[in-house]
Amino acid sequence: MSGNEELAQSEERLRIRKNLIEAIAETMDLYGATHSSGQLYGIMFFENRPMTLDEMKRQMNMSKSNMSYAVRSLVESQMVKKLDEKLERKELYAAETDFFIVFQKFFSHKLQREIDVMMKAIDDAQPNLTELILQEHTADEERKLALQDLHKLRHAQKYYEWLQQFVDSLRNGEFFTNKAE
Amino acid sequence: MSGNEELAQSEERLRIRKNLIEAIAETMDLYGATHSSGQLYGIMFFENRPMTLDEMKRQMNMSKSNMSYAVRSLVESQMVKKLDEKLERKELYAAETDFFIVFQKFFSHKLQREIDVMMKAIDDAQPNLTELILQEHTADEERKLALQDLHKLRHAQKYYEWLQQFVDSLRNGEFFTNKAE
DNA sequence: CTATTCGTACAAAAAATATTGAACAAAGAA
DNA sequence: TTCTTTGTTCAATATTTTTTGTACGAATAG
């Protein structure tokens, strides 16, 4: 076979990959990731070995500092792991390729953050709202409005308690029980 | 009680609300919503009746066209409903205040979109990859690489089949069974 | 130890996104 | 019907986010 044909095949495989990488980036866009992070995850997903910043830079055709930022965000959302060993001084990063685990890590992380932010806000607000309602000199209309807000908070609190359980279940792998592995 | 005191109470309640609205906007930021959409949802969450674009504009202190865009994105992610009736020519919008329902609608919508995008990409890629592997004149090394990619796709496909079931369960309310309502 | 290379932080530049005001079609009051 | 008002779109502007180049501390090879 000619060198040209070999090249064509390799290009065909890379073309197929490129479409898939774009789809991955597009879905990650949905959850607030930058397009570049999404592409980078896609590249790392198909790469069959850990990558260095230099390789990312080369494949993404971007600056090393940007790769540093992008890979950090992937590590933070736990879709990529920084390995303990290095290769010729260079740090190594490997994508988690099991989407079940990605789902588990990504969503438990995001949802936990949401729970923490909202629970704190609710915990801060409730005593103040309660005091406003209880004060002798609070106008009736005002009390009524404050009470409505308080009830909304109590419902929200119930929800976040449930969501915490949901996240715990997710972390425990309870949703994956029927999965053939 | 003096008018000043009444004013102070109302301001206190609005201050408490403002913190909560900010927390809501912050958590919505996490999932790729714009900060303004998040704030708008927060405002609508506390408002005890449907709102018009003019009211949103007034409360958000922003242009009407921007409110039109913001509320549209909230309707699309199903956190806000456009009512059938109008008030004095103006369309009415109401926030879904039950976070359980918001969770259900928001995530089933996003995840379904992810499934559709990825399943399409996978379905498009698989036959091409398969053909590349099967072709007589494909170089061994190339075949090996294509095969690795194909296996990754098959795993991904398994995942998205599971995710589709997960979304179906979410839509059916299966995750809310233990919830006190 | 010294020299080299790596990864990150920072400020500047580039790109993408959000916001606005104006124009206009559609809805509906008069 | 005609006149008013609403909601949306579009192009422009403003703002935010992403990306880059550079500088520098930390790690490590020699």
Side-chain angles (χ1 to χ4, degrees):
Chain A
M1 182 179 45
S2 82
N4 273 351
E5 276 173 22
E6 280 183 19
L7 189 63
Q9 288 169 353
S10 170
E11 273 170 9
E12 164 71 355
R13 186 172 50 80
L14 293 179
R15 190 191 60 76
I16 296 170
R17 265 197 191 184
K18 207 165 142 264
N19 288 337
L20 289 160
I21 289 168
E22 246 341 284
I24 289 173
E26 187 183 334
T27 62
M28 288 178 62
D29 273 353
L30 287 175
Y31 302 106
T34 72
H35 198 75
S36 299
S37 292
Q39 287 180 313
L40 181 58
Y41 175 77
I43 287 171
M44 295 179 79
F45 173 79
F46 281 112
E47 198 72 33
N48 293 302
R49 55 202 166 67
M51 291 181 78
T52 67
L53 282 183
D54 271 330
E55 289 170 317
M56 297 176 201
K57 173 185 137 117
R58 220 187 61 253
Q59 291 214 38
M60 293 276 295
N61 202 13
M62 282 183 155
S63 71
K64 188 154 70 156
S65 58
N66 202 28
M67 292 304 93
S68 173
Y69 287 130
V71 83
R72 184 196 299 173
S73 84
L74 292 174
V75 169
E76 269 167 14
S77 59
Q78 307 185 57
M79 300 177 68
V80 164
K81 262 207 198 80
K82 184 194 226 172
L83 304 189
D84 290 331
E85 76 266 37
K86 291 188 178 186
L87 179 71
E88 295 165 8
R89 289 185 173 190
K90 297 183 188 96
E91 272 158 10
L92 290 168
Y93 296 90
E96 174 56 64
T97 55
D98 183 335
F99 284 177
F100 289 96
I101 293 175
V102 170
F103 177 89
Q104 187 177 39
K105 299 230 171 139
F106 182 83
F107 283 106
S108 62
H109 186 253
K110 282 238 160 168
L111 292 171
Q112 187 63 59
R113 210 174 133 143
E114 174 178 354
I115 292 167
D116 293 343
V117 168
M118 287 302 296
M119 277 301 209
K120 177 173 185 330
I122 292 171
D123 288 345
D124 287 352
Q126 266 188 339
N128 296 328
L129 214 43
T130 301
E131 183 52 26
L132 193 59
I133 293 162
L134 298 180
Q135 274 170 5
E136 189 183 357
H137 62 280
T138 294
D140 280 356
E141 184 58 21
E142 191 59 29
R143 178 173 292 116
K144 203 181 122 199
L145 290 167
L147 209 45
Q148 283 178 331
D149 286 3
L150 185 67
H151 292 155
K152 286 186 181 169
L153 288 199
R154 289 189 172 184
H155 281 122
Q157 198 170 34
K158 275 251 163 56
Y159 165 73
Y160 283 109
E161 282 160 8
W162 170 84
L163 190 60
Q164 183 64 67
Q165 277 189 280
F166 182 88
V167 169
D168 293 344
S169 300
L170 181 55
R171 288 209 179 100
N172 294 339
E174 282 175 40
F175 299 132
F176 305 125
T177 44
N178 291 329
K179 157 198 168 210
E181 244 187 338
Chain B
M1 183 178 48
S2 82
N4 274 350
E5 276 173 21
E6 280 182 20
L7 189 65
Q9 287 170 354
S10 170
E11 273 170 8
E12 164 71 355
R13 187 173 49 81
L14 292 177
R15 192 191 58 77
I16 296 169
R17 266 197 190 183
K18 208 166 141 260
N19 288 338
L20 289 159
I21 289 169
E22 246 341 284
I24 289 173
E26 187 183 334
T27 62
M28 288 178 62
D29 273 352
L30 288 175
Y31 302 106
T34 72
H35 198 74
S36 299
S37 292
Q39 287 180 312
L40 181 58
Y41 174 78
I43 287 171
M44 296 180 79
F45 173 79
F46 282 112
E47 199 72 32
N48 293 302
R49 55 202 168 68
M51 290 181 80
T52 67
L53 281 183
D54 271 331
E55 289 170 317
M56 296 175 201
K57 172 185 138 115
R58 220 188 63 251
Q59 290 215 39
M60 292 276 295
N61 202 12
M62 282 183 153
S63 71
K64 189 154 71 155
S65 59
N66 202 27
M67 292 305 93
S68 172
Y69 287 131
V71 83
R72 183 196 300 174
S73 84
L74 291 174
V75 170
E76 269 167 13
S77 59
Q78 308 186 55
M79 300 177 69
V80 164
K81 261 207 199 81
K82 183 195 224 171
L83 302 189
D84 290 329
E85 76 264 39
K86 291 189 176 186
L87 178 71
E88 295 165 9
R89 291 184 173 188
K90 298 185 189 94
E91 273 159 8
L92 291 168
Y93 296 90
E96 174 56 66
T97 55
D98 183 335
F99 284 177
F100 289 95
I101 293 175
V102 170
F103 177 89
Q104 189 178 37
K105 299 229 170 140
F106 182 83
F107 283 106
S108 62
H109 186 253
K110 282 236 161 171
L111 292 172
Q112 187 62 59
R113 211 175 133 144
E114 175 178 354
I115 293 167
D116 294 343
V117 169
M118 287 302 297
M119 276 300 209
K120 178 173 185 328
I122 292 170
D123 288 346
D124 287 353
Q126 265 186 340
N128 296 328
L129 214 42
T130 302
E131 183 53 27
L132 193 60
I133 293 162
L134 297 180
Q135 273 170 4
E136 189 182 356
H137 62 280
T138 294
D140 281 356
E141 183 58 21
E142 191 57 28
R143 178 173 291 116
K144 202 181 122 197
L145 290 168
L147 208 45
Q148 284 179 331
D149 285 3
L150 185 68
H151 292 156
K152 286 187 180 167
L153 287 200
R154 289 189 170 184
H155 281 121
Q157 199 169 33
K158 275 250 163 57
Y159 165 73
Y160 283 108
E161 283 160 8
W162 169 84
L163 190 60
Q164 184 63 68
Q165 278 190 278
F166 182 88
V167 168
D168 293 344
S169 299
L170 181 55
R171 288 209 179 102
N172 293 339
E174 282 175 39
F175 300 134
F176 305 126
T177 44
N178 291 330
K179 159 200 170 208
E181 245 188 335

